């Protein structure tokens, strides 16, 4: 067990995931969002994210993401990354 889980844990810490149903290893990304004032709502590709700002979005697979940060009485910030 140690010989299987230890390398997978190290790879996960480095942002690399392995899924048996997908071929090869995948490098993942992280986005950190912070606002002043805090507690802004976060949307990823139009879907609400479970946390408000400040937050870290982890384990993002390679690709484009549209991020929207919205706070009442403020203009929303929208960016495609």
């Amino acid at each position: 067990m140690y010989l299987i889980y230890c390398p997978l844990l190290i790879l996960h810490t480095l942002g690399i995931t392995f899924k048996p149903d997908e071929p090869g290893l995948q490098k993942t990304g992280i986005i950190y969002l912070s606002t002043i004032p805090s507690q802004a709502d976060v949307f990823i590709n139009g879907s609400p994210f479970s946390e408000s700002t400040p937050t870290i979005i982890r384990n993002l697979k390679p690709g484009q993401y549209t991020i929207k940060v919205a706070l009442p009485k403020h203009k929303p910030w929208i960016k495609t990354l």
Side-chain angles (χ1 to χ4, degrees):
M1 292 296 238
Y2 178 80
L3 294 175
I4 294 171
Y5 289 112
C6 187
L8 291 177
L9 179 63
I10 292 170
L11 288 174
H12 181 74
T13 304
L14 295 172
I16 299 171
T17 60
F18 170 76
K19 294 185 179 176
D21 57 335
E22 296 177 10
L25 300 174
Q26 281 197 323
K27 181 79 172 155
T28 60
I30 294 175
I31 298 174
Y32 173 74
L33 295 171
S34 179
T35 58
I36 299 174
S38 61
Q39 302 303 313
D41 295 323
V42 177
F43 299 85
I44 303 170
N45 293 335
S47 299
F49 188 62
S50 60
E51 299 176 21
S52 56
T53 60
T55 188
I56 298 174
I57 305 169
R58 301 176 191 274
N59 298 324
L60 293 170
K61 293 182 180 179
Q64 284 191 341
Y65 293 91
T66 300
I67 307 296
K68 177 181 176 183
V69 179
L71 192 62
K73 300 183 182 179
H74 291 81
K75 184 179 176 181
W77 179 85
I78 302 171
K79 193 74 163 180
T80 300
L81 307 171

